[in-house]
Amino acid sequence: VEDVMFVRQPDEVEFAKVDMDGAEKVWISVLLGEDQEVPNFLMRRFRIEPGGHTPYHAHGWEHEIFCVAGRGEVRQDGNAWLLTPGASALVPPDEDHNFVNTGSEPFEFLCLIPKSV
Amino acid sequence: VEDVMFVRQPDEVEFAKVDMDGAEKVWISVLLGEDQEVPNFLMRRFRIEPGGHTPYHAHGWEHEIFCVAGRGEVRQDGNAWLLTPGASALVPPDEDHNFVNTGSEPFEFLCLIPKSV
């Protein structure tokens, strides 16, 4: 039955280190992407280790965020918005932003983006 | 700073009962939708109480699923795929499906869909 619905169980999630400039202690797992032939948008799971952060940057597409574990912030200039498990967030297109682990455990969140970026 | 990033904290999530034919004990919260002016896709959080299920149906758009709490299944014909917290799933367009709570606690999951449906 695996050919109809694609399901990835929690113990099947594998992370890869993010090597992008400005990324510190960041890992990514593409949960739903090109391999699953998603029609419109990709679901990625990020893990930021304590002390880590994503690059501070902007781009022309949005992020839809859902915090899964740990404690962190999305930041812009001097502003910060708290993210704890169960919090959701929209980072609109073209807004400077980064994600920072402000806790002592891995900070994990879903980050969905349009397929055509 | 609320006008740049939209963040909904976990204690700000409000559910509404789903009155659709075939829905039993199903609640929905639109985490990111028209009110947040999402560009491309909507993030909804569903809660199905024990004994409940969504309508068995098909439609021309996909579901991207991430299980947040409880235990349930996505089903098609006689087949069932387990969903527990941390599992992700793709329900492709035009596939019959429903979601069923098979546990004793609320079964909760994110279900993202394209904006233009």
Side-chain angles (χ1 to χ4, degrees):
Chain A
V1 299
E2 293 300 326
D3 49 344
V4 181
M5 311 294 175
F6 174 84
V7 177
R8 189 188 305 271
Q9 299 299 339
D11 63 358
E12 296 169 340
V13 178
E14 297 185 355
F15 287 89
K17 191 80 184 285
V18 174
D19 274 334
M20 203 173 178
D21 271 1
E24 297 287 342
K25 304 181 179 182
V26 179
W27 298 74
I28 185 172
S29 179
V30 180
L31 300 181
L32 298 172
E34 302 289 348
D35 288 352
Q36 289 74 40
E37 299 179 356
V38 296
N40 292 295
F41 50 96
L42 289 74
M43 180 185 288
R44 299 101 46 90
R45 182 172 181 158
F46 283 87
R47 170 181 291 166
I48 306 179
E49 299 168 27
H53 58 81
T54 62
Y56 189 75
H57 65 182
H59 40 66
W61 56 90
E62 74 277 23
H63 287 322
E64 296 197 12
I65 302 295
F66 184 82
C67 182
V68 174
R71 183 185 182 87
E73 292 175 354
V74 55
R75 293 182 180 170
Q76 184 183 70
D77 297 331
N79 299 316
W81 293 261
L82 176 66
L83 295 172
T84 57
S88 48
L90 175 68
V91 179
D94 302 316
E95 294 288 348
D96 285 331
H97 64 279
N98 75 344
F99 297 91
V100 181
N101 186 337
T102 58
S104 54
E105 302 292 331
F107 170 46
E108 297 195 22
F109 57 91
L110 304 183
C111 175
L112 293 105
I113 59 171
K115 183 179 176 182
S116 54
V117 297
Chain B
V1 300
E2 292 300 324
D3 51 341
V4 181
M5 312 293 175
F6 173 83
V7 177
R8 188 190 306 273
Q9 301 297 342
D11 63 358
E12 296 170 339
V13 178
E14 297 187 354
F15 287 89
K17 191 80 183 286
V18 175
D19 273 333
M20 204 175 177
D21 271 0
E24 297 286 343
K25 303 181 178 180
V26 179
W27 297 73
I28 186 172
S29 178
V30 179
L31 299 180
L32 298 171
E34 302 289 348
D35 288 352
Q36 290 75 39
E37 298 178 359
V38 296
N40 291 296
F41 48 95
L42 288 75
M43 180 185 288
R44 299 100 47 88
R45 181 172 181 158
F46 282 88
R47 169 181 291 167
I48 307 179
E49 300 168 26
H53 58 81
T54 62
Y56 188 75
H57 63 183
H59 41 65
W61 56 90
E62 75 276 23
H63 287 323
E64 295 198 11
I65 303 295
F66 184 82
C67 182
V68 174
R71 182 185 183 88
E73 292 175 353
V74 55
R75 293 184 180 170
Q76 183 184 71
D77 298 332
N79 299 315
W81 293 260
L82 176 67
L83 295 172
T84 58
S88 47
L90 175 67
V91 178
D94 303 315
E95 295 288 348
D96 286 330
H97 64 280
N98 75 344
F99 296 91
V100 180
N101 186 337
T102 58
S104 54
E105 301 292 331
F107 170 46
E108 298 196 21
F109 57 91
L110 304 182
C111 175
L112 292 106
I113 58 172
K115 183 179 177 183
S116 54
V117 299

